[in-house]
Every structure is written in C-alpha cells, then in structure tokens.
Amino acid sequence: MWAGKSPVPREELIKQVKGVDALFCYLTDKIDEQVLESAGPSLKVIGTMSVGYDHINVSQLKKKGIKLGITPDVLTDAVAELSVGLLLATSRRLFEAHQEIIKHSNHNISHRSAMCSQAAETKEEGKGDRSEPLSSSQFNVDSAAVCMTSHDRAGTGQKGPGR
C-alpha cells in the first residue's frame, strides 16, 4: 500500500504489486503489461478510482482474465451542480463583486448599481418571448433551459449597467 501524498512512483508500483490478488489504482497509475507481469497470476481484479480507463491496458486484462471495476457517472451530478453554480455566480457578477469588496476594504463601492446583473429566467419551447423569473424550486435544470435576459429597470426604459 502506498502511503505517500504524491502518485506512486512507477518503480514502486511494479515492486509492490508482486503477488497481490487485487489492485486499486488511480488515473495517474499506468497499468500496462509490465505491471501485470510483475503482479503475476494471483491478480484477479483491478479497481480504478476514475471514470475513464485509458491508463489501463484492457486487452491485456481480457487475455489474463482479470476483472476491471470503474466508477462511471460518479461525477455527473457534481459537474452539473458546479456548472449551474458557475453560471449563477458569473451572471450575478459575484467574482467581480468579490474583487470590488477586496479592493475597497471599507466597502465603499463608488456607484450603487455598479454590481447590478442580469436576472436568470426560464424559457419554454413554443412560448415565444414570454419568460418567467426563476424560483428557488426551479434549480432542477433538467426541465428547463436557462437563459439570461436584461430587464427594464423600474420602468425607466434603461437596462442594467453594461447592457
């Protein structure tokens, strides 16, 4: 077992895999014929902590009758959640607002609407330009495509800064 914080050096992997029944590896570990030969005939299964398996010589595993376990879809929801989070943070200019707060440590931002942003709305097929504001219950994005629009601010005919 490798206890280091960095990936297992290849020479160490080849040395420690001798005689094991199972191997748990990471994307950084190249599992090729050399590693499999070093493991010997006792190796029956390999599990990789990754969705992909490009780092593993699958044809050699088949020849040797070694089973392979991967983690498909393990990150699908997390990637979707982070994507929505980044969309919201970007549309609400949170990164810029954070920089302004740091820059003006006394929180005296020069213009009140300097950090105004566009509102997120849903648009449904066949409803033309009609759109509804997003509610907190609509963050299950599977059911609606999210688009950005700029609103007329308080009926003045002016749109938010930069629109």
Side-chain angles (χ1 to χ4, degrees):
M1 172 153 17
W2 179 249
K5 291 187 180 187
S6 61
V8 180
R10 182 155 177 84
E11 301 79 33
E12 189 68 23
L13 174 64
I14 290 169
K15 187 168 65 174
Q16 288 197 17
V17 76
K18 289 182 176 146
V20 299
D21 296 323
L23 173 64
F24 184 71
C25 64
Y26 293 93
L27 189 61
T28 54
D29 302 319
K30 184 178 179 185
I31 309 302
D32 58 8
E33 190 170 2
Q34 185 181 13
V35 172
L36 297 175
E37 288 300 319
S38 181
S42 63
L43 183 62
K44 301 292 182 229
V45 65
I46 295 176
T48 181
M49 194 167 167
S50 62
V51 174
Y53 47 90
D54 291 345
H55 61 292
I56 298 173
N57 188 330
V58 177
S59 64
Q60 284 295 315
L61 295 186
K62 287 180 182 177
K63 282 182 190 176
K64 295 177 181 293
I66 299 170
K67 302 291 183 196
L68 174 63
I70 61 172
T71 55
D73 292 328
V74 71
L75 296 175
T76 303
D77 289 341
V79 169
E81 292 163 359
L82 287 172
S83 297
V84 170
L86 286 171
L87 276 168
L88 291 171
T90 303
S91 70
R92 289 298 182 179
R93 301 176 66 189
L94 292 181
F95 304 111
E96 294 169 79
H98 181 257
Q99 289 302 317
E100 284 295 312
I101 290 170
I102 290 171
K103 189 165 98 179
H104 302 287
S105 60
N106 62 1
H107 303 282
N108 186 15
I109 297 175
S110 59
H111 190 272
R112 286 180 194 209
S113 64
M115 297 312 305
C116 289
S117 61
Q118 296 176 332
E121 296 180 346
T122 61
K123 286 209 178 210
E124 294 180 34
E125 295 266 335
K127 289 200 173 185
D129 287 335
R130 292 186 301 162
S131 57
E132 299 291 326
L134 280 175
S135 69
S136 60
S137 65
Q138 289 176 298
F139 283 109
N140 181 354
V141 184
D142 293 334
S143 61
V146 177
C147 69
M148 305 312 297
T149 64
S150 32
H151 285 292
D152 178 346
R153 303 266 181 223
T156 63
Q158 295 180 342
K159 296 189 181 206
R163 313 293 184 275

